[in-house]
């Protein structure tokens, strides 16, 4: 039904008679604003500090993670200290080494600061890709590092993901891009819920 006919029926007249109806008593036309396209936010990693003293002090002394574990991720350019606030910066990269995800954590003992930068792609949250068949899933980067610290033998062979609150997108990406995976292990109770969003909670995963 056309707009003119709908207005005519509302006023109890024909479309032709509608032309004689004063404009002031006609129902106002609905103006539908044009749909605005979402602006893409470019991911801009924070500048790196000249050293990682605060990050090492927080992760190693406060959180009890071995320096070798922290160093491994720092040398892989997946972890650094920001120059401005001295936050721990956890980097997620794609298969070509391009930065796709940035998650930050405050390094002060009393700080609860956590932030994923705008422009980050959910599927590439902080992770390590190994050649083995197991994928370990965690809620936060520090949970992931802590688990590796407790189970250091051959940890590089396995794959690990910190979901950083983004849901199951990183798990789905791993299942698509890492064909040798046969088993997903939820490292923490908080991660089990995320895992159930991705696939039926049946291990191993075919």
């Amino acid at each position: 039904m056309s707009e003119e006919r709908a207005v005519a029926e509302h006023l109890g007249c024909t479309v032709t008679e509608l032309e004689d109806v004063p404009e002031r008593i006609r129902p106002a036309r609905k103006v539908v604003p044009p749909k605005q396209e979402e602006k893409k936010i470019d991911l801009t990693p924070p500048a790196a500090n000249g050293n990682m003293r605060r990050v090492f002090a927080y992760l190693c002394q406060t959180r009890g993670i071995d320096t070798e574990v922290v160093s491994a991720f720092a040398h892989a350019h997946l972890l650094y200290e920001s120059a401005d606030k001295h936050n721990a910066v956890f980097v997620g990269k794609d298969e070509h080494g391009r930065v796709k995800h940035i998650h930050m954590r405050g390094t002060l003992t009393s700080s609860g600061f956590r932030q994923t930068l705008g422009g980050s792609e959910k599927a590439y949250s902080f992770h390590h890709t190994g050649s083995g068949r197991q994928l370990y899933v965690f809620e936060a980067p520090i949970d992931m590092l802590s688990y590796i610290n407790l189970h250091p033998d051959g940890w590089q062979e396995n794959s690990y993901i910190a979901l950083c609150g983004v849901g199951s997108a990183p798990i789905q990406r791993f299942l698509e891009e890492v064909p040798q995976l046969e088993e997903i292990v939820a490292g923490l109770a908080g991660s089990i819920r995320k895992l159930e969003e991705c696939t039926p909670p049946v291990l191993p995963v075919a």
Side-chain angles (χ1 to χ4, degrees):
M1 180 184 293
S2 66
E3 183 178 353
E4 289 80 5
R5 185 167 182 175
V7 172
E9 289 189 2
H10 177 76
L11 296 175
C13 64
T14 66
V15 174
T16 303
E17 294 172 337
L18 181 61
E19 297 179 0
D20 299 324
V21 177
E23 188 73 27
R24 60 185 174 79
I25 67 172
R26 297 185 191 182
R29 293 189 177 187
K30 293 182 179 180
V31 179
V32 180
K35 187 176 180 180
Q36 296 182 348
E37 295 183 2
E38 293 185 5
K39 294 183 179 179
K40 183 179 179 181
I41 301 175
D42 293 328
L43 176 61
T44 305
N49 193 41
N51 60 69
M52 292 181 61
R53 293 193 187 97
R54 290 269 292 270
V55 167
F56 269 88
Y58 176 70
L59 294 178
C60 300
Q61 298 176 20
T62 304
R63 303 306 294 259
I65 301 171
D66 195 276
T67 57
E68 291 186 5
V69 174
V70 177
S71 294
F73 283 89
H75 290 156
H77 304 289
L78 298 176
L79 171 64
Y80 68 93
E81 181 175 321
S82 66
D84 54 354
K85 303 293 184 180
H86 300 282
N87 294 315
V89 181
F90 299 94
V91 182
K93 297 183 178 182
D94 64 11
E95 64 274 18
H96 303 294
R98 295 173 297 201
V99 176
K100 294 292 185 178
H101 191 280
I102 293 290
H103 181 80
M104 298 189 295
R105 174 69 163 85
T107 54
L108 295 176
T109 304
S110 59
S111 174
F113 173 75
R114 297 177 182 83
Q115 181 185 18
T116 296
L117 290 188
S120 294
E121 295 186 26
K122 295 180 179 180
Y124 294 96
S125 60
F126 183 64
H127 64 277
H128 167 77
T129 305
S131 58
R133 65 184 184 87
Q134 290 183 317
L135 171 63
Y136 291 84
V137 181
F138 301 89
E139 186 69 27
I142 293 178
D143 297 332
M144 174 179 145
L145 297 181
S146 296
Y147 181 86
I148 293 173
N149 184 65
L150 293 173
H151 304 85
D153 293 341
W155 70 265
Q156 294 92 339
E157 297 178 5
N158 300 317
S159 295
Y160 305 84
I161 303 174
L163 298 180
C164 301
V166 301
S168 61
I171 305 174
Q172 296 284 13
R173 181 186 65 80
F174 258 90
L175 293 177
E176 293 171 1
E177 297 182 1
V178 187
Q180 74 270 18
L181 291 177
E182 298 179 2
E183 186 174 78
I184 299 178
V185 181
L188 294 173
S191 297
I192 294 175
R193 174 178 55 81
K194 300 293 184 182
L195 180 58
E196 289 174 345
E197 293 176 3
C198 170
T199 185
V202 178
L203 301 177
V205 175

